[in-house]
Amino acid sequence: MTEEEWMRQLFERLLRSKFRSRFHLKDKEKEYVREKGMEEIRAHASEFIERRIAPEKIPNDGKQTPMRGHPVFIAQHATATCCRGCIKKWHKISPGRELTFRQKEYLVNVIMRWIEQEMKG
């Protein structure tokens, strides 16, 4: 399966999830994205993944991603990239070891794809 096929199937599954599908960017978050631009939002997503998700051990795993306050946080809940438990369930990336460069890049791509879709809708 190609990454594009995986992404298409992932987003179809996310849309069917009652919990995941309830997250959307509000006008305030959309304005923030427009103001900062997609490159800066991607940089924020990379930083959040690096600091909050990528380490081998996360002392507050499951509680490290706020439910609001930044478009990336909302996207992380919408795409199940908010904690290592959700990442294991939805993305098949096991916890207990530091994420690789490729895994971090993949998670950021998922987040950004969701944000791009929200900005169009």
Side-chain angles (χ1 to χ4, degrees), residues 61-83:
D61 194 29
K63 296 179 178 83
Q64 73 266 44
T65 304
M67 297 292 270
R68 59 183 159 279
H70 195 288
V72 171
F73 296 154
I74 298 163
Q76 283 184 268
H77 290 290
T79 60
T81 58
C82 47
C83 70

Side-chain angles (χ1 to χ4, degrees), residues 5 25 29 31 37 40 52 67 75 81 85 88 95 97 104 114 116 118 121:
E5 290 169 328
L25 295 180
E29 289 96 10
E31 182 57 34
E40 189 166 339
R52 298 169 181 257
M67 297 292 270
T81 58
K88 179 182 181 191
R97 61 187 130 128
K104 291 182 276 191
W114 184 87
E116 288 166 3
E118 283 289 300

Side-chain angles (χ1 to χ4, degrees), residues 70-112:
H70 195 288
V72 171
F73 296 154
I74 298 163
Q76 283 184 268
H77 290 290
T79 60
T81 58
C82 47
C83 70
R84 293 300 286 270
C86 292
I87 290 169
K88 179 182 181 191
K89 177 182 176 182
W90 286 85
H91 302 279
K92 311 299 184 220
I93 300 172
S94 297
R97 61 187 130 128
E98 188 171 342
L99 294 178
T100 66
F101 173 82
R102 181 64 190 108
Q103 289 168 329
K104 291 182 276 191
E105 181 180 57
Y106 160 76
L107 294 175
V108 170
N109 287 342
V110 169
I111 290 165
M112 293 308 298

